[in-house]
Amino acid sequence: MPPVGPRQPCPCGSGRRYKACHGERSRPAPVLRPFAGRVDEPDLVALREFVPSATAPLTLSATHLADNPDHADRRIILGTLLPQAAAAVVRDDGEILLAMQTLVSGLDPAADLAGALLAALDAKPGSVVDGPPASAPAAVERLSGGLAELPRLPDLLDPAPLEITVHPGFAWWVPSTDGVEPSAEVTASLDRANATVVPTTRLESVPAAYWCSPGDRVHLRWALPLGLAGPDASDVSEEAILDALARLSAAGHLTVGDGSRFVGSFRADGLVVPVWDLEPGADADSCEKPAAQLWSLLREALADPRALTSEERRVRAGVVGRTLTLR
């Protein structure tokens, strides 16, 4: 975590001064980038923060399987949200559903996910894992080594990027059983959950960009990786990304299709997520080519060594002013 003055806003996004929040010596600081190091970090952030219904199969790491060979045949599905906002569910056949979105989060979402997954691997079929998060402040304060003692999700998983499927509803909650219809209670619960889902599509031309249509509006939300400069480049700073966005905005290139308008961004789990309003009726396909072009321009802007011009600095102030921090 970068140095923070006692009177500056706390990096956790609470809105309080650092000295009155996580600047207290007795309070462990939250992890600002819980999924750092994963190639699919932006997608993990998207699944946790703003994608309503999506799944991805998980593969345990070779190291974990070497220590736990009995876990080799377990099928694990990462999902956005589970019934009753449970942390994990073990189906009758032993399949595990692990949730990204829960009611309560601790100091490190990656440690919370790892704790729920390990509990599910040890639980009996038909169980629900719904205890407090592994990195709850009270629990971390009791550990002599603090957060460093807790296993984390990236440590348990194979490093290959996830294969994400976005769903129109939560039918994946119910296991497929040939010839057996779900009960009326289950059907009613699914109908209520499905009614809350905002239509969402993941773009194919760029990573971690999601088209969505809440009500009569159409948006594109794009979790930008801090490795934006290239696959072999080291991470760039958030400040550099904001500079690049300002350059493109000043040049009139910060668009994702005709009629689109950059409306601001939010900061989630350490990443910047720009948001665009799209032209009414614009579908996800209409964003693919413009998003790919913008992706290329962003990388060029990040590689530009020039200082911002006065106009670009003015635009940057507006970009920063429209950036919110989640959680």
Side-chain angles (χ1 to χ4, degrees):
M1 185 173 71
V4 182
R7 294 182 176 275
Q8 291 180 307
C10 185
C12 76
S14 66
R16 304 172 66 192
R17 290 181 177 179
Y18 179 60
K19 70 175 184 179
C21 192
H22 288 92
E24 294 182 0
R25 292 185 179 180
S26 61
R27 301 186 65 181
V31 175
L32 299 185
R33 285 182 63 193
F35 308 113
R38 291 277 311 183
V39 175
D40 48 17
E41 176 188 11
D43 277 306
L44 287 169
V45 171
L47 296 188
R48 181 170 183 256
E49 299 292 354
F50 58 84
V51 176
S53 179
T55 58
L58 298 184
T59 302
L60 295 172
S61 68
T63 301
H64 178 84
L65 291 177
D67 295 335
N68 303 271
D70 54 318
H71 294 167
D73 296 329
R74 298 299 295 272
R75 176 173 164 80
I76 307 168
I77 302 295
L78 181 69
T80 47
L81 181 69
L82 293 177
Q84 307 302 316
V89 170
V90 185
R91 287 176 167 163
D92 292 338
D93 62 358
E95 182 182 63
I96 294 172
L97 300 182
L98 180 67
M100 291 292 291
Q101 301 173 20
T102 56
L103 291 178
V104 181
S105 296
L107 297 171
D108 183 357
D112 297 341
L113 285 161
L117 176 55
L118 292 173
L121 286 166
D122 291 336
K124 296 179 180 179
S127 301
V128 175
V129 176
D130 198 17
S135 68
V140 173
E141 289 170 3
R142 291 193 294 268
L143 300 175
S144 59
L147 282 171
E149 285 193 24
L150 296 175
R152 307 181 70 252
L153 187 67
D155 302 328
L156 301 181
L157 299 185
D158 183 271
L162 301 181
E163 296 182 3
I164 296 170
T165 301
V166 178
H167 301 276
F170 291 101
W172 53 272
W173 282 357
V174 182
S176 58
T177 51
D178 295 337
V180 178
E181 294 293 331
S183 67
E185 181 180 357
V186 170
T187 300
S189 177
L190 275 177
D191 289 343
R192 288 192 297 270
N194 290 341
T196 68
V197 174
V198 172
T200 301
T201 301
R202 184 179 184 272
L203 299 193
E204 297 180 357
S205 57
V206 296
Y210 291 81
W211 171 96
C212 62
S213 179
D216 296 331
R217 308 287 293 275
V218 188
H219 303 302
L220 184 72
R221 299 166 178 169
W222 191 348
L224 295 179
L226 292 185
L228 188 63
D232 300 322
S234 58
D235 283 355
V236 297
S237 67
E238 176 184 318
E239 296 300 311
I241 288 183
L242 293 175
D243 285 350
L245 292 175
R247 287 188 193 278
L248 297 182
S249 181
H253 297 320
L254 194 56
T255 66
V256 285
D258 294 339
S260 66
R261 181 175 66 91
F262 173 74
V263 295
S265 59
F266 57 89
R267 186 183 297 106
D269 294 327
L271 300 187
V272 177
V273 184
V275 180
W276 287 265
D277 273 342
L278 303 179
E279 190 174 39
D283 58 14
D285 289 342
S286 68
C287 301
E288 294 284 5
K289 184 175 180 180
Q293 293 172 340
L294 180 58
W295 175 248
S296 177
L297 292 173
L298 275 170
R299 296 171 73 166
E300 291 178 6
L302 280 170
D304 191 339
R306 294 180 299 109
L308 296 180
T309 66
S310 58
E311 173 62 15
E312 290 169 342
R313 289 196 301 271
R314 184 190 67 79
V315 172
R316 189 188 190 281
V319 171
V320 173
R322 287 178 285 170
T323 300
L324 303 175
T325 300
L326 299 185
R327 302 178 190 270

